[in-house]
Every structure is written in structure tokens, then in C-alpha cells.
Amino acid sequence: MKKKLRVYLPFMENEFKRNLAYKGSFYLFMLCWLFTPFINYYLWMAIYGSSDGSMLGGLTKDEMVVYVFMSYVTTQMVFVSISDYIADHVTEGSVVMNLIKPINYRMSLISQALGTMLYRFFAPTIFVWVGVEIYKAKVLGMGITPLPNILCYIVSVIMSFLIFVLFDFCFGMVAFVTTYMYGMQLIKEALIGFLSGELIPISFFPVVMQRVFDFMPFSSMVYAPVMIYLGKYTGSALMFAMARQLVWVVFLYVLGSVLWNRVTRRLVVLGG
């Protein structure tokens, strides 16, 4: 097992170093991505300010502040696309080289995604996370998040990451039947942003819609980890949420294996 893991470590290391290769790109990435949570923050503060109630969708105004920034933290670590790589490899024909190499193609992509995840964690996610904790304690008076919540959140984020990359691997199989993925990528990102709770907490939707979302993997990507962090999931609800994530990891892994075996049987190389 250790020998197999060592094979994929260079993929992770190279991806991490690649993201750090250009200083200008590094600082621009940090600056641009920091706009998103603050835009959402002011938007939600305006919504709460115009509301007569102190709680919306089961979240108080202070909890929504934490939700906005922690959903950003979670999104940065979880939403690492690998379908882009698959589309490029298929279009260029370089996917053939991955088929003849003595490595697992999916594992190499996941390792690359993990390198990007670690890069995003250190720049700028960790700073936003620390800032949220300081703001909670000093301004909101909510106190520091309990250690059990943080540990459960970390475990949940790891499973969320696996759910997303395994789902994205399945989505990437579309590249084997079409040569144009850009439009579909935009649709995917828009739908996931809506269904995962990144834009609007799922608790804001009608109960019937919430039940529908529970049967999809998307709510386990962002909404579940953030609600765990906020302490909204406790006891049996917490165990159920994490068990559901584990089920989706296993299901998407099996589904990805089935799809991979099918598409590689009918592979037609377009380039290379």
C-alpha cells in the first residue's frame, strides 16, 4: 500500500508547485477569490437587514456570517475540477499514454486535485478560516468553535472533496463522446453552486425540496460540512450526514469504475 501511495505523491507535489510557479498569478488568485465571500456577505446582510425576523432559514444573522465565509473555505478546498484535465487529455489524444502507463489514471487525477486542494488551503483559505474564528470570538461573541466540531468538519470536508472529484471524474467521461466540454462545464458549475448550498443554504428551500436535495450528492459537498461546523448537526443527525457522505464516496467510486471501463472500450483518439 505504501509503495502504491508513493507512486502518486509526485502528482500531488508537482501540482502544488505548479500553482506556486508564478508569483503574479498567485497574488491575483488570492485577490480575485477573496471578492466572492465579501460580496455574498454584504448581500446577505442586506437581506437580513430588510427582514422583520431575526432568523431566516434556521440561521441567525451571526450564523449566516459564519456560513458565508465557511462555505467559501469549504468550496475552495472541495471544488477542484479534474474533468478539465480529462477533456484536454481526450481531445489531445494524450489519454492513450495514461492507458499504457502502469498507473491508475483516476488516482493520478485525484492526486493532482489533492495538490491543488493543499495549495488553496494555504492560500488564502487558512487566513479566511482564522479570520472567521477571530471575528466570531471578538465581534459576534459566539466564541471559538469547539474542537469536536472542527475535527468532524475536517473529516467531512475530506469526504466532500472525494465526493466532488469522483463525481467530476464521472462527469469527465462525457469528453469521450463529445469534443466540446466548455459549455457543459459552465452548466455543471452553475448547478453545483446552487444545489450544494454554496449560494443559498439548503435550509432556505421548502421542506419538499430539501428532501429531494438529500437524495443528491451535492448537499454533501458544501452544506453538510458547514452545518457540522456551525453545530447544527449533532448526535444522530451528525452520524447520518457523515454516513451519507461515505455512501456517496463508495457509490461514485464504483460508478466511475463502470463508466471508465465502458468508455475506454470505444475510445477513438482525435489527436496525439
Side-chain angles (χ1 to χ4, degrees):
M1 179 63 72
K2 289 184 179 179
K3 289 183 179 179
K4 289 184 178 180
L5 290 176
R6 285 200 200 102
V7 173
Y8 301 102
L9 281 177
F11 290 96
M12 180 184 69
E13 294 174 359
N14 290 337
E15 192 66 16
F16 184 85
K17 293 176 181 178
R18 186 186 69 81
N19 283 291
L20 292 171
Y22 301 99
K23 292 183 179 179
S25 176
F26 172 79
Y27 292 120
L28 186 62
F29 170 81
M30 290 185 64
L31 179 63
C32 291
W33 277 99
L34 281 174
F35 276 113
T36 303
F38 284 101
I39 291 173
N40 289 338
Y41 166 78
Y42 286 111
L43 175 63
W44 281 108
M45 291 305 98
I47 293 173
Y48 273 84
S50 61
S51 174
D52 296 330
S54 60
M55 181 177 290
L56 297 175
L59 297 172
T60 64
K61 183 178 180 180
D62 292 345
E63 288 174 338
M64 180 55 76
V65 173
V66 179
Y67 185 95
V68 166
F69 286 97
M70 287 309 299
S71 65
Y72 165 81
V73 169
T74 305
T75 299
Q76 287 299 297
M77 292 189 288
V78 170
F79 290 174
V80 183
S81 179
I82 61 174
S83 57
D84 297 335
Y85 293 115
I86 298 173
D88 290 341
H89 293 163
V90 173
T91 304
E92 296 168 1
S94 59
V95 69
V96 174
M97 297 304 298
N98 291 287
L99 291 174
I100 64 176
K101 289 178 181 178
I103 59 171
N104 184 295
Y105 181 55
R106 178 169 52 184
M107 280 300 299
S108 67
L109 291 173
I110 293 175
S111 298
Q112 286 181 272
L114 185 58
T116 300
M117 176 191 181
L118 292 175
Y119 162 75
R120 291 183 180 179
F121 175 75
F122 290 108
T125 301
I126 185 62
F127 302 106
V128 176
W129 191 352
V130 172
V132 168
E133 286 299 319
I134 294 174
Y135 190 78
K136 276 182 63 183
K138 299 294 184 181
V139 179
L140 301 180
M142 298 173 65
I144 300 296
T145 304
L147 182 59
N149 288 28
I150 294 176
L151 294 177
C152 289
Y153 169 77
I154 292 173
V155 174
S156 181
V157 164
I158 292 172
M159 288 195 287
S160 297
F161 169 78
L162 292 174
I163 290 172
F164 179 82
V165 293
L166 290 173
F167 167 81
D168 208 41
F169 180 81
C170 295
F171 178 80
M173 297 300 100
V174 177
F176 286 85
V177 295
T178 179
T179 57
Y180 185 75
M181 286 281 289
Y182 181 73
M184 299 189 69
Q185 290 280 12
L186 294 178
I187 295 173
K188 180 201 72 175
E189 292 172 5
L191 287 176
I192 290 180
F194 180 74
L195 297 173
S196 66
E198 176 192 359
L199 300 177
I200 304 173
I202 292 175
S203 59
F204 276 69
F205 291 93
V207 176
V208 175
M209 292 295 295
Q210 293 181 41
R211 297 291 179 266
V212 173
F213 290 167
D214 284 342
F215 285 97
M216 298 180 182
F218 311 110
S219 63
S220 294
M221 293 177 182
V222 176
Y223 181 74
V226 177
M227 295 302 275
I228 289 172
Y229 189 83
L230 284 169
K232 294 294 184 178
Y233 287 164
T234 58
S236 59
L238 172 61
M239 298 301 295
F240 179 77
M242 300 186 76
R244 183 170 55 194
Q245 286 185 305
L246 183 59
V247 169
W248 276 116
V249 170
V250 175
F251 175 79
L252 291 170
Y253 182 86
V254 174
L255 178 62
S257 298
V258 173
L259 292 175
W260 176 251
N261 290 332
R262 289 194 176 186
V263 298
T264 51
R265 289 175 186 171
R266 60 183 300 278
L267 175 63
V268 177
V269 177
L270 302 176

